[in-house]
Amino acid sequence: MRFLVTGTAGFIGFHLAKRLLDDGHEVIGVDGFTSYYDINLKEQRHAQLAVRNGYQGHRAMLEDAAGLEDAWGDRPIDIVIHLAAQAGVRYSLENPRAYIDANLTGTFNVMDLCRRHGVKHLLIASTSSVYGNRGDGEFFETDATDRPLTLYAATKKSTELMAHCYSHLWTIPTTAFRFFTVYGPWGRPDMAPYKFVHNISTGEPIDIYNHGHMERDFTYVTDLVEAVVRLADCIPGTHAVRDDSLSPDAPFRVVNIGNGEPINLLYFIETIEKALGRKAIRNYLPMQQGDVPRTFANTDLLHTLTGFRPKTSIEQGVAALVQWYRAYQGEHR
């Protein structure tokens, strides 16, 4: 099949594009190569894809409707997987305009391409941040998500609503999947897993918010990719499954993708310390504005639809992240 994937120079998009190419699909990749974090890392991800048969890479910002149209080209595209966005919960406090431009205007441009050209399935990345401060218990797709704590979360919830509207108006089968703290090789330097590995390796302090009283549903990147690939074949229609989030008004569904096991932040740090063979210099801080103490994905719907649940343990995932980090740093000294 022919896929269009946005964000292919990004962390998740890079891994997803590789997997689709490995499976024999054709991938049209789009990325804006923004300077939000190290562009060299994005360039190196892109370089690995650019030499692959079946891959066409395009540099275009999501806000550039004409650039996205050029990337689409003249041939039909079967499935669109929209991953590109202005990411980062904390950065949304510093540069809110970037989230409006990329996440709202950009997502509209992607959806309108699908409306005009037609696709079998549109899949859109959302986030666990839409759940807000839920406290104890699992997060279900059918839970209320109308109290976001950051503009990032608000824009992601808004993209879900926009996608539902377009799905209803233009009968575009659409799946929005909510990621839970993705980590692994080639990860983002602005995220805690990479920061912890880097800072502990170099002897720099690590910032630990809420004095370590945090839990995250850490999800290994290849597990997430496996879930997305399987969901691509689960085209929403009129048939609902048990405990489904399928809309009664549109071929639209929301699906959690997480490990289903909240991990204490201090245990996560200890696991990194063991993998590196070094202790962290810990800088304990209060809870950061807009953050939440706990995330916890219920993955029953994902399993019902695909027969799959993420299963990589923290120990396995951290070992792979550390192994990649050491090799990557060794190549760039």
Side-chain angles (χ1 to χ4, degrees):
M1 285 196 291
R2 200 160 187 258
F3 286 76
L4 185 144
V5 179
T6 67
T8 46
F11 171 36
I12 296 169
F14 163 68
H15 283 280
L16 177 64
K18 280 207 308 179
R19 167 62 187 274
L20 292 173
L21 292 167
D22 289 344
D23 290 347
H25 299 294
E26 186 177 350
V27 177
I28 311 302
V30 178
D31 202 287
F33 291 82
T34 65
S35 58
Y36 169 61
Y37 64 79
D38 184 10
I39 292 180
N40 290 327
L41 186 59
K42 299 180 182 184
E43 292 284 4
Q44 289 173 65
R45 296 184 190 124
H46 172 73
Q48 292 188 47
L49 297 174
V51 298
R52 296 285 302 271
N53 291 330
Y55 183 77
Q56 299 176 40
H58 297 265
R59 296 182 183 233
M61 297 291 286
L62 293 174
E63 304 93 302
D64 179 9
L68 293 178
E69 183 74 50
D70 288 343
W72 190 288
D74 298 327
R75 293 174 54 202
I77 288 173
D78 299 299
I79 294 176
V80 171
I81 304 179
H82 177 40
L83 299 170
Q86 178 56 62
V89 172
R90 294 174 185 127
Y91 186 61
S92 65
L93 302 173
E94 303 170 24
N95 186 11
R97 173 64 64 182
Y99 294 77
I100 301 301
D101 293 342
N103 299 0
L104 298 183
T105 302
T107 298
F108 166 75
N109 288 337
V110 172
M111 292 190 308
D112 211 49
L113 273 174
C114 295
R115 174 187 67 83
R116 288 186 285 109
H117 292 282
V119 291
K120 295 177 181 176
H121 195 183
L122 167 63
L123 296 97
I124 291 182
S126 187
T127 171
S128 62
S129 296
V130 301
Y131 289 107
N133 188 6
R134 281 287 318 284
D136 293 337
E138 296 173 279
F139 297 6
F140 291 84
E141 293 89 348
T142 52
D143 289 345
T145 53
D146 54 1
R147 298 201 307 270
L149 299 185
T150 63
L151 187 64
Y152 168 66
T155 59
K156 282 299 193 175
K157 176 60 180 179
S158 298
T159 62
E160 291 183 11
L161 296 174
M162 291 162 56
H164 180 273
C165 171
Y166 255 56
S167 178
H168 166 72
L169 291 173
W170 311 110
T171 319
I172 303 172
T174 304
T175 299
F177 37 87
R178 294 171 177 165
F179 296 167
F180 283 70
T181 314
V182 187
Y183 74 104
W186 293 97
R188 282 174 25 205
D190 63 304
M191 291 187 68
Y194 187 108
K195 283 183 177 179
F196 290 161
V197 171
H198 174 76
N199 286 20
I200 296 171
S201 296
T202 56
E204 301 171 59
I206 62 171
D207 291 338
I208 304 174
Y209 292 99
N210 203 30
H211 304 280
H213 302 301
M214 310 266 281
E215 290 183 313
R216 286 291 180 269
D217 199 339
F218 291 102
T219 310
Y220 191 63
V221 64
T222 56
D223 283 342
L224 186 142
V225 165
E226 180 68 32
V228 172
V229 168
R230 293 191 185 209
L231 283 171
D233 292 329
C234 299
I235 300 175
T238 58
H239 176 67
V241 299
R242 181 171 53 84
D243 299 323
D244 207 343
S245 62
L246 183 68
S247 169
D249 302 310
F252 175 90
R253 173 184 280 128
V254 175
V255 182
N256 287 338
I257 306 178
N259 223 50
E261 182 184 3
I263 300 295
N264 181 273
L265 184 60
L266 296 180
Y267 180 77
F268 186 73
I269 293 167
E270 289 166 7
T271 305
I272 294 174
E273 290 175 328
K274 289 177 183 177
L276 287 170
R278 297 190 65 169
K279 289 290 186 181
I281 302 170
R282 303 185 181 199
N283 181 29
Y284 290 99
L285 296 168
M287 178 74 86
Q288 194 165 32
Q289 187 179 15
D291 216 342
V292 297
R294 190 170 191 258
T295 62
F296 184 1
N298 178 283
T299 59
D300 289 347
L301 180 56
L302 174 66
H303 185 259
T304 298
L305 292 170
T306 68
F308 174 75
R309 294 185 200 268
K311 56 186 179 298
T312 301
S313 70
I314 286 296
E315 293 76 15
Q316 292 171 313
V318 164
L321 171 58
V322 167
Q323 182 182 30
W324 167 80
Y325 173 83
R326 284 174 163 164
Y328 180 77
Q329 292 300 317
E331 291 172 1
H332 295 88
R333 284 178 182 154

